[in-house]
Amino acid sequence: MAYATADELRRLLRIESFTEDETATAELLIELAQGVIEGETGQALEQSTDTVILDGPTDEDPRYHPATGSRKLILPRWPVTAVASVSLTDEAEPLVFGPVEDYTWSAAGILHRRGGDWPSQDRAVEVTYTAGYSTIPPGLKRMCLRLAVSGWANPEFLSAETLGDHSRQFSAEALGMELTPADRRTLGAYRART
């Protein structure tokens, strides 16, 4: 699922119809704009299910409580909507979810260990979980479409153009798919925490 569709870009540009080549160009521009956004946030924002192997927390990591380990483990992506399984890589049996069992989890992407600490060695915990947005928030969709429009409007990424006595100047932000300072502030709320 992309943040936006080629048809939404077409409507925003107020073009009656796209050719097959223009549709492919629009899809590419949307994909590139999405990459700019996710590059800034440091995480994919579309919902997906991933299996990751995580290093256990240590006392050198300032995100965790100072100790030889920690009861909290931060998942690479958020918001988390489901955790399918959690297991310690040196044990055969998966951990059991529940407040009186082995672990609980939050939408913020934190696994809380019940009755003990997470192991503190490398590649200690394997987690299969679902994170991201099933529907991209409207502000991110707007930003994606605006970036794609800038690529459409200035395909050569020109900063200035002169044809005879006709001259055009483009602002630095219009050179291509560049985020504005306001965009960066907005995306701060979506940044990866790890």
Side-chain angles (χ1 to χ4, degrees):
M1 168 184 86
Y3 285 23
T5 66
D7 190 58
E8 288 169 328
L9 181 59
R10 179 196 59 76
R11 285 184 280 151
L12 186 63
L13 292 166
R14 293 180 174 86
I15 295 174
E16 190 169 322
S17 65
F18 275 166
T19 65
E20 189 175 313
D21 188 53
E22 288 171 330
T23 299
T25 300
E27 289 169 351
L28 174 62
L29 289 171
I30 289 167
E31 182 181 337
L32 294 173
Q34 184 173 325
V36 169
I37 292 167
E38 291 181 356
E40 181 68 23
T41 62
Q43 69 169 342
L45 298 173
E46 291 178 286
Q47 191 172 71
S48 66
T49 299
D50 305 307
T51 299
V52 295
I53 297 178
L54 304 170
D55 296 341
T58 65
D59 57 351
E60 289 87 30
D61 193 331
R63 295 173 296 177
Y64 301 102
H65 301 295
T68 57
S70 176
R71 290 179 185 246
K72 294 183 180 183
L73 185 63
I74 299 174
L75 294 171
R77 293 185 56 225
W78 69 280
V80 173
T81 56
V83 175
S85 68
V86 177
S87 58
L88 304 179
T89 56
D90 60 356
E91 293 183 15
E93 292 296 315
L95 299 178
V96 178
F97 170 77
V100 294
E101 299 294 344
D102 298 321
Y103 74 95
T104 57
W105 60 273
S106 71
I110 300 172
L111 293 179
H112 186 87
R113 184 75 191 264
R114 300 298 192 181
D117 291 336
W118 294 106
S120 59
Q121 74 265 17
D122 293 343
R123 301 181 57 80
V125 183
E126 182 174 314
V127 183
T128 300
Y129 70 108
T130 303
Y133 296 91
S134 59
T135 302
I136 295 299
L140 297 180
K141 182 176 185 174
R142 173 197 51 78
M143 194 180 301
C144 179
L145 284 168
R146 183 183 51 74
L147 290 170
V149 164
S150 70
W152 186 278
N154 186 10
E156 291 90 25
F157 303 115
L158 300 173
S159 61
E161 179 180 69
T162 302
L163 298 170
D165 63 350
H166 176 74
S167 176
R168 294 192 310 175
Q169 294 277 137
F170 297 91
S171 69
E173 288 80 21
L175 291 175
M177 295 184 190
E178 298 295 325
L179 295 170
T180 66
D183 291 339
R184 286 188 168 84
R185 283 191 301 276
T186 299
L187 293 175
Y190 299 95
R191 280 200 178 87
R193 296 187 180 135
T194 57

